[in-house]
Amino acid sequence: MKTSKKLIGIFLAILSLLLYFNMPVYANATNGTTDYNIFLSIPLENSGLEYEVNGDGYATGPTSFAVQGNFIYILDGEKNKVFIFKDGKKVNDFQVKGLLAASDIRVSKDIIYVVDKETKKLASFQQDGKQIALIDLADYSNKGTLTLDLDKDGNVLLKTGNGSLTKFDKDLKIGSVRQNFFKFNKNSNYKGNLLLSETGLNIDFNSNELLGSMSLTHIDKSGNLFVTTEELLDVPIITVEQTVKEYDSKGGLIGTARVPLELYKAHPDRYTDVTEDGVFALVPKAYSIDVVKLNTITNFTSRMPELKKEFEKSYKNPESDINKNSSMLAINYLTRSQVENNGYYINNYSWTLNSNNRKSMSGVTFPDWLSTVNIPYSATGIPYCWGGFDSLNTSSSSSWSNYGNAMSYGANAGNVYCSGYYKSGTAGLDCSGYVSACFAFTSKWGTGDFYSNTSLFNDINVSQLGNCDIVVHPTDHIVLWKGADYGNSDHFFTYEATTSGLDKCKAYDRYWSSLSGYKCRTYKYY
């Protein structure tokens, strides 16, 4: 009898665990800190959502999200799909037609709005996924990154990096345009202010560390402003504290909520959503997608002193085993302008995609932006290719001499299946291949080489970053730093080959938080 009871107890315990790992947790569960509470945890299994950190360090899966009462809308920018959850259970998912790299989502009056910041398009959908309208945003090409917000009446707003707001109706007809509604001014490495032109409200911000960015996230029905800030340690390893600060309509600070960046391995385009119910953050994890509710704290204590101690304890700059006579060195010692020009020509290289370059191959995943177009197709930019080193002057194979020659030969254009090694018969550049080509290296370096080499590169602090310095993680990704226009954008700019957004070599924009843990380095011979 005792044995039977014990077996029943074990069975019930196992059943409880199985139910737990396959059902959403929808509650204000505490995480044991004062920073946030778990609002919703969606197990990936059977949800249709994915979260996988691939070889270049970025996640396939959630890009943005929106919270509307007991509804959660999650945008998967890789699949270009919207997933809708009610009370923690999936009720629908649909493809966002007409977009190639969906980047942000808002929901207003049961209408779903999705923007593609790279191809500059905006679409609206019904709850069942039926598309209402799709418009081109080519006129916004030089206005910084594009995100979405809601005004106090629930109307959708297109927000540009240079501080303009455009109101749209559900048919995507323009209702009003407010030029230069807000502007972020960086007065020094440690001081900045956010100016609202219509009211003249000026919010000053002073940091004990470097001020990375400051942006207007939302204005609620009471006129309270929510401002996202990024502060950084001035050290070689990018160390960020991202917060959402709430101010009253007169600019008085109400409280501060901290985004728990330590939970992130890779980063969505939208970290937070501000609603009348509070400030929420999207946290993709290995086995679940979590939405957490951030706690706004009146007497906020920064973690930067603690993070600085952690950096000082762990930072090392090891000697490299790559010597100065290696065949991997640059053909010539290049200037910043020469490296920049090499990147520009790769990003803007024109070529034609045809049936010979888009073939089905085992172990190869074709770049999204090339998989759906009609061929022949006039393409711009060399596509991302895992392990690839096919630039204007280099190649991955002895069968061709450069990327253009590879296309004539019949190589497959790109491969975003980032696992294992370079796949024979594919052509393009991965992140380290791209930077190697920009520096005119005769052989491809890996991210670990760029991270540790001391013959050609030195570590520098964040404040010392200049045009075409490198920002690199030893096992994830590498970018060329292009600078920041603090008056016109809350982002900084890069040249890189990435699977984020359009899978290719390109000019891109980022938040500092997206490169947390990366090292800043400069070429010794600039």
Side-chain angles (χ1 to χ4, degrees):
M1 187 70 175
K2 288 182 179 179
T3 303
S4 298
K5 287 183 177 180
K6 185 180 289 187
L7 289 172
I8 292 171
I10 293 171
F11 172 77
L12 290 174
I14 293 172
L15 181 61
S16 298
L17 286 171
L18 289 172
L19 288 171
Y20 175 79
F21 284 110
N22 285 279
M23 292 180 64
V25 178
Y26 195 87
N28 287 321
T30 180
N31 69 310
T33 78
T34 58
D35 288 336
Y36 65 92
N37 297 320
I38 298 174
F39 181 72
L40 172 65
S41 184
I42 304 169
L44 292 182
E45 188 175 1
N46 301 323
S47 71
L49 291 166
E50 293 181 1
Y51 178 72
E52 179 183 355
V53 179
N54 60 34
D56 73 352
Y58 291 94
T60 58
T63 307
S64 180
F65 76 119
V67 179
Q68 289 273 309
N70 59 344
F71 281 85
I72 305 288
Y73 300 80
I74 296 180
L75 176 65
D76 184 332
E78 294 293 326
K79 292 182 176 179
N80 277 305
K81 292 184 76 172
V82 172
F83 294 81
I84 305 174
F85 295 85
K86 181 182 179 183
D87 296 325
K89 297 180 180 179
K90 189 174 78 170
V91 295
N92 192 24
D93 64 69
F94 62 87
Q95 205 78 31
V96 286
K97 296 178 181 178
L99 307 184
L100 290 176
S103 54
D104 200 13
I105 184 172
R106 296 288 85 191
V107 182
S108 174
K109 303 171 184 176
D110 288 333
I111 305 300
I112 301 167
Y113 299 86
V114 182
V115 69
D116 182 334
K117 69 177 183 180
E118 290 198 63
T119 61
K120 301 293 188 290
K121 293 184 184 297
L122 177 64
S124 57
F125 302 88
Q126 296 177 358
Q127 292 284 321
D128 60 4
K130 182 179 179 181
Q131 190 173 82
I132 300 171
L134 173 69
I135 62 170
D136 188 88
L137 300 172
D139 291 343
Y140 293 81
S141 295
N142 298 316
K143 296 184 178 181
T145 194
L146 303 178
T147 56
L148 298 174
D149 195 13
L150 302 178
D151 67 13
K152 64 180 181 179
D153 298 318
N155 299 305
V156 71
L157 302 171
L158 179 69
K159 185 166 59 177
T160 66
N162 67 355
S164 296
L165 300 177
T166 304
K167 182 167 71 175
F168 289 92
D169 64 16
K170 68 176 183 179
D171 297 313
L172 302 184
K173 295 178 180 177
I174 294 177
S176 63
V177 180
R178 302 160 86 175
Q179 299 286 359
N180 302 315
F181 178 75
F182 65 93
K183 186 174 183 179
F184 168 48
N185 298 298
K186 188 175 181 183
N187 305 318
S188 72
N189 281 338
Y190 306 94
K191 295 182 179 181
N193 69 289
L194 187 69
L195 176 65
L196 271 64
S197 59
E198 292 184 5
T199 63
L201 179 64
N202 185 59
I203 297 176
D204 290 316
F205 186 80
N206 298 318
S207 174
N208 293 323
E209 306 297 340
L210 293 180
L211 178 56
S213 70
M214 188 176 183
S215 61
L216 179 63
T217 303
H218 184 65
I219 301 177
D220 69 12
K221 292 180 180 179
S222 302
N224 292 345
L225 294 86
F226 294 81
V227 178
T228 299
T229 62
E230 291 180 305
E231 297 173 77
L232 303 96
L233 295 179
D234 193 15
V235 296
I237 304 297
I238 294 178
T239 308
V240 187
E241 182 169 72
Q242 184 183 127
T243 59
V244 180
K245 299 182 182 298
E246 182 179 359
Y247 296 88
D248 62 30
S249 58
K250 295 182 180 179
L253 180 63
I254 295 173
T256 302
R258 189 181 75 88
V259 179
L261 294 178
E262 66 276 5
L263 300 181
Y264 294 77
K265 166 61 177 174
H267 301 264
D269 274 23
R270 174 180 287 275
Y271 289 84
T272 59
D273 182 24
V274 180
T275 76
E276 298 302 314
D277 295 321
V279 182
F280 298 88
L282 177 67
V283 184
K285 293 182 178 179
Y287 302 104
S288 67
I289 303 298
D290 291 356
V291 176
V292 302
K293 187 173 183 179
L294 304 182
N295 296 323
T296 300
I297 301 168
T298 304
N299 298 314
F300 176 77
T301 301
S302 171
R303 288 192 64 226
M304 294 304 264
E306 176 187 340
L307 294 174
K308 193 168 188 176
K309 288 181 181 178
E310 291 177 5
F311 165 79
E312 291 170 347
K313 187 182 296 185
S314 62
Y315 173 67
K316 293 179 181 179
N317 186 15
E319 288 293 323
S320 170
D321 59 359
I322 301 175
N323 61 59
K324 199 169 180 179
N325 296 319
S326 169
S327 63
M328 298 170 76
L329 299 189
I331 297 172
N332 297 300
Y333 294 135
L334 304 182
T335 65
R336 293 181 189 272
S337 294
Q338 288 172 319
V339 174
E340 180 180 27
N341 286 339
N342 288 341
Y344 177 85
Y345 291 130
I346 292 171
N347 297 347
N348 293 281
Y349 179 70
S350 297
W351 56 283
T352 300
L353 176 71
N354 57 46
S355 58
N356 291 327
N357 313 125
R358 193 171 71 180
K359 304 183 293 285
S360 177
M361 290 179 62
S362 175
V364 172
T365 303
F366 212 66
D368 289 340
W369 67 287
L370 298 175
S371 62
T372 58
V373 296
N374 295 323
I375 50 178
Y377 172 73
S378 297
T380 300
I382 293 178
Y384 184 94
C385 182
W386 176 244
F389 191 43
D390 304 288
S391 69
L392 307 184
N393 303 300
T394 61
S395 68
S396 303
S397 170
S398 59
S399 298
W400 55 79
S401 57
N402 54 48
Y403 181 76
N405 186 233
M407 293 300 96
S408 299
Y409 178 83
N412 241 26
N415 176 25
V416 297
Y417 183 72
C418 302
S419 181
Y421 300 96
Y422 164 74
K423 185 72 174 180
S424 178
T426 61
L429 291 162
D430 68 6
C431 63
S432 62
Y434 173 73
V435 176
S436 298
C438 289
F439 279 100
F441 288 1
T442 54
S443 299
K444 181 179 181 292
W445 281 30
T447 51
D449 301 319
F450 281 107
Y451 188 87
S452 61
N453 174 273
T454 55
S455 297
L456 291 183
F457 294 91
N458 287 330
D459 291 1
I460 55 174
N461 290 340
V462 172
S463 64
Q464 297 172 305
L465 279 169
N467 185 37
C468 288
D469 284 331
I470 63 172
V471 182
V472 59
H473 190 283
T475 59
D476 286 348
H477 190 47
I478 183 171
V479 306
L480 288 176
W481 165 266
K482 286 291 296 154
D485 182 2
Y486 292 105
N488 291 303
S489 180
D490 52 11
H491 290 59
F492 64 84
F493 307 102
T494 63
Y495 275 179
E496 58 183 286
T498 178
T499 57
S500 293
L502 299 182
D503 314 310
K504 64 177 183 176
C505 304
K506 60 189 178 184
Y508 203 46
D509 61 83
R510 292 186 171 278
Y511 285 106
W512 285 102
S513 300
S514 70
L515 295 179
S516 295
Y518 282 58
K519 185 191 282 189
C520 305
R521 312 203 76 199
T522 191
Y523 183 53
K524 278 186 176 182
Y525 300 99
Y526 275 154

